[in-house]
Amino acid sequence: MEPNPHLHGRRRLTGLLWAINLASISASVLVYLYLAHHAYRVLDSLLVSEFVLLAPMVMPVVFAFQLHQVASRVDPRRLLWVSNVLGALVCTVLFLLVDLTATAVLVGAALVGTLDAVQRVARIVAIKRFFSASEVRFTVPLTLTAQFIAGAMAGAILAFFPGRLTHASAAIATISLMGLAAACAVLLPRLAEQRAAAPADQAGLRRCVGLLRDTPALRESLFAFVLLGAVFQGFYNLSRVALPAHHLGLGQSQVGLLQIVASLSAVAGALTYYALSRRHWAFRLGWIYPLSAIAMVGACVLPGVPASFTSYFIYFFCFELAFFRLQGDIMLATPANDMPLVATLQYALVYAGMMLAIAIGAVLIETHGLTATALAFVLFFFLCTALRRQRGAATASTHIP
């Protein structure tokens, strides 16, 4: 018999999910940053460095519907602890048993990213199943503050131990963190494993198309979420090494410092969203988008670390407000039984968009610089947004009697 999640205190559930996020994402971010910086400094390749940040997104896109099938049938508690155990094994091999060649760093980042994607879907499913509809909008930003603190922790390791972070110490840090996340996941309450109620084809692409066609609120929120993630989070993945190391010509310490700045910005955004949502703020995207875009370009244009990193803080703060607004809209518009499918779909689409953005952006940075890349991304975002609004207005007008 499936236990009633109400019997398990909300604070305990939130705390466990928060701790899992903190430990597992700290490990994953540390892997990505360490490998990206290794590729840039040791392998002397900006492109490999950028593609290290792209590699974690490949497998979740390629195997999106297989991931959905797993998330639909397997208890999120089991997915979380198994993913972290496997992640610890991958880090053991990556940092202790193989040479970090270009192939090794790309394959390692891809494997860790695949396991991280499994966890991201499992966490969304767990929140949807453990918490009521009225609690979902508040719970998502609260639990995800751990994700941003995790980024700050990984950045601090790079910032305060420049040149002293060895393969062995990276292995110890990542294996310990993933072990802690696995232990916390075991403490989550069990949920009954579900079998798909529909045939496999309906649970895949056909079901997606039908769900989006029949749920306009979900369709519009998902499109906006994917576009936002592809452009703004895509630029974040490009810039977190390229801005300090390539654009500003700084060292490993500043790579870690920028990660801390971005993470603190994200925490501030999450807590701001949490606090103001409880006061029923609307978070209008019409002013959040331009502020984020201006600050994103400003981070590339403004001279010196203080001005550039301050603008970067504002850019990512506004991005997080928009992110949580759209994530909450998606979760509220999605039926509980379809949450694994929608969570898998949204991450697959965002990852696909970010992969394209990183691939194009890496070439643009190499040929035209980071500032031109930021401007191109911003222009593309607002063009797509305007075209979508125009299309929506035209569609609505055809239904006027």
Side-chain angles (χ1 to χ4, degrees):
M1 180 177 178
E2 180 174 334
N4 185 347
H6 291 282
L7 299 177
H8 303 274
R10 286 293 182 271
R11 290 183 180 178
R12 179 176 181 273
L13 280 173
T14 302
L16 285 172
L17 289 170
W18 193 90
I20 294 166
N21 277 4
L22 180 65
S24 65
I25 298 174
S26 291
S28 297
V29 172
L30 180 56
V31 170
Y32 306 147
L33 289 179
Y34 184 86
L35 295 180
H37 191 265
H38 175 85
Y40 184 75
R41 290 298 184 193
V42 179
L43 302 181
D44 193 27
S45 175
L46 175 64
L47 283 178
V48 173
S49 175
E50 297 292 4
F51 282 117
V52 164
L53 302 175
L54 180 150
M57 308 171 197
V58 174
M59 301 302 282
V61 173
V62 173
F63 295 107
F65 290 109
Q66 288 81 358
L67 178 58
H68 155 242
Q69 293 293 325
V70 172
S72 297
R73 294 187 170 109
V74 181
D75 177 6
R77 169 183 173 273
R78 178 179 294 182
L79 283 180
L80 288 169
W81 76 258
V82 169
S83 297
N84 280 289
V85 170
L86 292 176
L89 293 175
V90 170
C91 290
T92 300
V93 174
L94 185 64
F95 292 120
L96 300 180
L97 300 179
V98 301
D99 293 329
L100 289 183
T101 62
T103 300
V105 299
L106 290 171
V107 172
L111 291 175
V112 173
T114 301
L115 295 171
D116 183 43
V118 172
Q119 293 189 71
R120 288 174 186 270
V121 173
R123 287 191 293 265
I124 292 292
V125 173
I127 290 172
K128 184 71 174 182
R129 296 181 68 186
F130 284 139
F131 296 90
S132 67
S134 62
E135 296 168 320
V136 162
R137 189 177 288 276
F138 309 134
T139 304
V140 172
L142 192 61
T143 56
L144 285 186
T145 56
Q147 175 175 334
F148 310 133
I149 294 172
M153 289 174 59
I157 292 173
L158 287 177
F160 300 129
F161 298 96
R164 289 178 283 169
L165 186 61
T166 64
H167 296 352
S169 56
I172 292 171
T174 54
I175 293 168
S176 299
L177 288 166
M178 289 180 178
L180 175 61
C184 291
V186 171
L187 298 177
L188 288 172
R190 295 177 183 271
L191 288 171
E193 296 183 8
Q194 296 181 335
R195 293 190 177 274
D201 62 337
Q202 292 182 346
L205 183 59
R206 186 181 302 178
R207 175 59 184 157
C208 281
V209 172
L211 186 63
L212 294 176
R213 182 186 62 241
D214 299 336
T215 318
L218 175 59
R219 182 176 65 247
E220 294 304 317
S221 298
L222 185 61
F223 173 84
F225 184 85
V226 170
L227 181 62
L228 178 79
V231 174
F232 286 89
Q233 197 168 354
F235 184 81
Y236 161 71
N237 278 281
L238 281 164
S239 62
R240 57 181 174 173
V241 172
L243 176 62
H246 183 70
H247 185 70
L248 297 177
L250 305 173
Q252 187 186 75
S253 293
Q254 281 69 36
V255 173
L257 179 60
L258 182 61
Q259 183 63 53
I260 294 172
V261 168
S263 298
L264 292 177
S265 173
V267 171
L271 293 177
T272 299
Y273 185 89
Y274 174 80
L276 296 182
S277 287
R278 299 185 71 89
R279 294 180 172 85
H280 308 291
W281 277 51
F283 293 98
R284 300 191 182 281
L285 299 173
W287 62 265
I288 296 176
Y289 287 160
L291 283 177
S292 185
I294 291 169
M296 187 175 92
V297 175
C300 304
V301 173
L302 294 174
V305 170
S308 176
F309 282 19
T310 298
S311 189
Y312 201 92
F313 181 97
I314 297 169
Y315 140 63
F316 215 60
F317 175 85
C318 294
F319 163 77
E320 290 299 336
L321 295 182
F323 175 93
F324 286 121
R325 156 69 193 276
L326 292 171
Q327 179 68 83
D329 291 347
I330 289 170
M331 294 186 72
L332 289 175
T334 303
N337 290 339
D338 290 313
M339 198 67 246
L341 175 61
V342 172
T344 305
L345 178 66
Q346 76 175 53
Y347 280 116
L349 292 175
V350 169
Y351 281 179
M354 284 197 292
M355 285 168 58
L356 184 60
I358 291 170
I360 295 172
V363 175
L364 286 175
I365 291 171
E366 186 91 355
T367 56
H368 295 86
L370 193 64
T371 302
T373 303
L375 286 169
F377 275 35
V378 165
L379 289 174
F380 175 79
F381 176 82
F382 285 108
L383 177 62
C384 289
T385 301
L387 290 174
R388 183 68 180 179
R389 286 176 180 169
Q390 185 179 29
R391 181 180 176 184
T395 301
S397 66
T398 62
H399 290 85
I400 298 176

